[in-house]
Amino acid sequence: MTKRPIFASLLLLSSALVAPAALAQDAGTEPATDASAPADEPAAPADEEADVSIPGGADQEIVVTGRFTPNVVRATPEVVSVLSSADIARTGEGDISGSLQRVTGLSVVGGGFVYVRGLGDRYSLALLNGSPLPSPEPLKRVVPLDIFPSNVIDSTLVQKSYSANFPGEFGGGVINLTTKAIPREPFLTLSGGIGWDSETTNELGYTYYGSDTDWTGFDDGTRDVPPLLKAAFASGKPILEGADFTKADLKAIQMELVNAETTLLQQNNHIPVNWSAGITGGTTIPFANGELGIIATAGISNKWRTRDTLQQTSVEQDLSGDPQTSYNRVVTDNRVVVNGLLGFGLEIGEHKLRWTNLYIRDTLKQARLAVGTDANQVGRDIMKQDTAWYERQLINTQFVGEFHFDRLKLDLRGAYANSQREAPYERGFTYVRTNLPTTQDPTGDKFVNDLGGNRGDATIAFSDLNEDLWSGGVDLSYELASRITATVGYAYSDTKRTSVRRAFQFRASGLPVAVTQLRPDYLLSDATIQLYDIGLIETSAQDGTAAFDAGLRTHAGYAQVQAELASGININAGVRYEEGKQTVVPVDLFGTGGSSIVSTNLDNNYWLPAVTLTWEVAPDMQVRLNGSKTIARPQFRELVAQIYQDPESNRLFRGNPSLSDSELWNAELRYEWYFAKDQRFTAAGFYKSIDKPIEAYTSISDSSINTSYANAPKATLYGVELEAQKYFALDTLSDSPFWASRRLVLIGNYTFTKSDIKVGAGDTTVINGVVQDASNYFFEGSPLTGQSDHLVNVQIGLEDQDKLSQQTLLITYASPRVTSRGPSGQPDLLEKPGIQLDFVARQGLTLLNKEIELKFEARNLTGRKYQEVQTSGDNRIYFNRYKLGRTFSLSASLKF
């Protein structure tokens, strides 16, 4: 990958988007750096009364009574949920997306994308210490949260009610990740673990050699683009015979490609165990009137997963008859995540400076083997094999300054982030078995590949995505009077993305039967290429989809007032003016069809008001009422008009340059009861009206299903959330010291959500510049994509309040949700997440005066399956179905 300076954001010291991070820090979300601390250690009793006596003379004493409300969820002026480091540790999840699915109203869909209250990932916003993040995903502009290991995140704040200090793309909520901060004492922690998967570990799977260093997540250079192919890329010509390339040139390019190491699929009957290792350390250097804190962490995890899938499609409206395609495919993923964090924090009196640097590299080595049928090739079995290597990388550096001058507070921040995704040597081979004897093949039962005839093919592709994001801003707050604070701010962000994918096919004619039966590495060996005139044809030149450039630049200013209107009644009101210019330009690398390539240029500005009223109806109860307007913009790839095959999902996508922004009106009423320390009950009702929501729809071409996007006319979403957290002391059960400090932990939440797409007579949508009847693409009353009617999370646990000892049972349920509209009037594609049961145990020990934490995890104890299905009466098509293995892991950390 291209190396980029990670210190560039120091140039942005003079600008910042401070308010989101400042809110998190002011609200008290800076947890202890020791993740093994008991869950209730940082907290203080909610609404604790404090009497302070001040001498007032010989016969006088002045008594001042104040109220201390340290509970973050209660103290913040908006509707929030907070996951502290202790909360994250209790769930035992390895990445932050796993922990977030325990939060009320949140669900995690495919690859770590968070859905808030049934709204897709496009309606949510992810921030790191208050700064926006770029995405390494070709089909997304939002970052997948499964790339963030939990060891680099100290806390997570989820805000569901909009406030003007946040960016306007806040349809469902904002997720602000806070990295580890200044340690309060020097420490060094070493950790390691191993894991086992019932469907993977020591079972049959597939892999390929690749390079010697694949286990680290870094290729040793084997997959670098060869010199001749690199020069051909730079020529600006399609790599075709006759387009400045001779047959000899193409043969030379082919023979430079790494063959057997990236081609030969290997069966492994004993897939290895999962493992992880990490080191975290920090220290504090005190000096006059301040201190300097340093924290660093590094980690690596290496995990395997095998999926034995059934994947089908149908062209019939009622799904009757045999499937159009049906494949049994075994997919083995080896995922390696490497991460590092280096942070510096300087506190001088009331002023704080913080410099954070984060590096994450997420690599997936994938091998797939499938056997099945296609109705377009009657009487023939088909075998497909694929090998791939996907690198995702995120580099982020940010600087934050918080300056307090009596009643004036100035916050500055700036950040630079770079994300990259490379996929070199994506290889695919298709072999066909006629199932009938022929003159050339009397046995009639061998798989053959004639490279481009009617019996097989071979492909290779190289992909690269690079995205840079600069952001910054300034936030100025002034206390106008007691309990009245006014804030003004400015925020800026600039995102630029370049994406290139070059795809090729190997072609030959008249290959002898003996040659067509060769395994892939022999089929494309140097000798075979020379002897049988195997050619190379660039297919990415055929439809102009080889590359695109995209960008989004926003400027925003806002004003906000937080005030106590009367005793126990507070208001947080503000308005944001935000202008955004979004461009997506398909790049015609070869100059073959520039006039037909459609660009998108969205230049819009919005006034986005927000108000939250909080009424303390009793000392331990309050009610919140929120109303706001927010927006959602199309994602980059959705605006590119050409067909694109997503290599990871093996699906075809086609963008729509006529998409427009969505606008949302939001309302919420929430009741909160804080009946004891760290214990609460909340109930909320919410409603959203969405103008022009962006929805996916599908269509069928031959045996392929294409997914595209369009603006539905309108949609509404409403629902109810319930949450409770209660502790029960267990010292009354027995006189035994074992129960003296233990308590029962009960945490549960339930979310009911209902959404409806509105399609009336005369409603239209625009597809590639053509106005269409909206009813051709959307049905009245259909739910929004990704919305589950019911979400349930329950945690039942025992924990010791004096030392680390926790045993937690976690139950998660999500009802079926639409993943895409059914093609050509077919039923929608439904994912059925079902029930998941997990168990996590953490135990602290002291050995040789060293603190040791042991953790045991058991996941998916119910053995649920992943199912994405279409159903019409008794007819059923499994778009994707496989078993999710039961996983067990054991880890330990040693603190010095």
Side-chain angles (χ1 to χ4, degrees), residues 381 432-438 441-448 517:
D381 291 335
V432 176
R433 182 167 61 191
T434 62
N435 301 339
L436 296 172
T438 65
D441 185 11
T443 61
D445 62 355
K446 290 185 173 63
F447 283 102
V448 299
Q517 294 175 354

Side-chain angles (χ1 to χ4, degrees), residues 118-249:
L119 289 171
D121 54 276
R122 74 172 72 252
Y123 297 102
S124 301
L125 179 68
L127 304 175
L128 184 67
N129 297 324
S131 293
L133 290 164
S135 175
E137 292 297 323
L139 292 171
K140 303 286 186 180
R141 191 162 45 79
V142 292
V143 64
L145 296 183
D146 65 341
I147 71 172
F148 288 94
S150 55
N151 69 309
V152 303
I153 301 300
D154 213 12
S155 67
T156 303
L157 182 144
V158 181
Q159 182 170 318
K160 300 174 187 175
S161 62
Y162 179 63
S163 54
N165 54 296
F166 280 114
E169 287 195 81
F170 189 110
V174 65
I175 300 164
N176 188 28
L177 309 176
T178 302
T179 53
K180 293 185 180 295
I182 299 175
R184 294 305 171 194
E185 60 181 21
F187 75 97
L188 178 65
T189 302
L190 302 177
S191 61
I194 58 172
W196 176 77
D197 185 319
S198 63
E199 294 293 317
T200 303
T201 309
N202 208 36
E203 299 290 336
L204 168 68
Y206 294 94
T207 186
Y208 65 100
Y209 179 74
S211 76
D212 287 330
T213 57
D214 284 1
W215 66 273
T216 67
F218 293 84
D219 177 78
D220 66 1
T222 297
R223 297 180 179 86
D224 289 348
V225 179
L228 290 178
L229 184 58
K230 183 181 293 185
F233 285 163
S235 71
K237 300 290 184 181
I239 301 175
L240 303 165
E241 186 177 348
D244 288 355
F245 294 95
T246 66
K247 182 178 291 186
D249 292 334

Side-chain angles (χ1 to χ4, degrees), residues 617-745:
V617 297
D620 55 0
M621 295 182 188
Q622 61 188 25
V623 175
R624 299 184 194 268
L625 178 64
N626 170 266
S628 64
K629 180 184 178 183
T630 55
I631 61 172
R633 296 184 175 98
Q635 306 197 60
F636 290 141
R637 200 58 182 79
E638 296 170 349
L639 292 167
V640 182
Q642 291 82 17
I643 292 288
Y644 171 80
Q645 180 170 3
D646 178 24
E648 295 188 51
S649 63
N650 199 32
R651 298 183 186 178
L652 296 175
F653 291 83
R654 180 184 179 90
N656 176 11
S658 299
L659 293 176
S660 62
D661 297 350
S662 305
E663 298 182 37
L664 298 89
W665 287 97
N666 316 284
E668 177 168 357
L669 179 63
R670 183 181 181 91
Y671 165 79
E672 302 170 357
W673 178 25
Y674 300 91
F675 49 83
K677 176 185 175 181
D678 296 332
Q679 302 177 65
R680 63 185 180 269
F681 170 78
T682 65
F686 54 88
Y687 175 84
K688 296 178 183 291
S689 175
I690 311 173
D691 186 40
K692 297 182 179 178
I694 299 171
E695 285 287 293
Y697 69 90
T698 54
S699 58
I700 295 178
S701 175
D702 294 327
S703 58
S704 299
I705 291 183
N706 299 326
T707 300
S708 190
Y709 307 91
N711 289 103
K714 289 183 180 298
T716 59
L717 180 143
Y718 57 90
V720 175
E721 288 181 349
L722 301 174
E723 179 186 18
Q725 181 166 322
K726 175 66 178 172
Y727 300 137
F728 295 92
L730 299 178
D731 53 358
T732 59
L733 294 179
S734 170
D735 294 333
S736 169
F738 177 84
W739 299 104
S741 57
R742 277 178 164 75
R743 65 182 182 182
L744 175 67
V745 180

Side-chain angles (χ1 to χ4, degrees), residues 8 140 209 225 241 269 274 278 406 409 441 443 451 483 487 531 603 673 683 701 713 721 768 806 845 879 886:
K140 303 286 186 180
Y209 179 74
V225 179
E241 186 177 348
N269 293 319
N274 302 327
D406 193 19
K409 180 180 178 182
D441 185 11
T443 61
L451 294 179
R483 303 197 180 189
T487 304
L531 286 173
D603 192 353
W673 178 25
S701 175
E721 288 181 349
N768 298 318
Q806 293 179 345
L845 304 172
F879 206 74
R886 297 176 175 88

Side-chain angles (χ1 to χ4, degrees), residues 24-78:
Q25 293 177 2
D26 290 347
T29 60
E30 186 179 44
T33 56
D34 183 5
S36 66
D40 62 337
E41 184 176 276
D47 287 324
E48 180 180 294
E49 299 289 344
D51 292 345
V52 181
S53 297
I54 302 175
D59 299 319
Q60 297 179 359
E61 184 178 83
I62 302 173
V63 178
V64 179
T65 300
R67 174 168 293 165
F68 177 53
T69 57
N71 188 298
V72 178
V73 177
R74 179 177 184 179
T76 184
E78 301 295 337

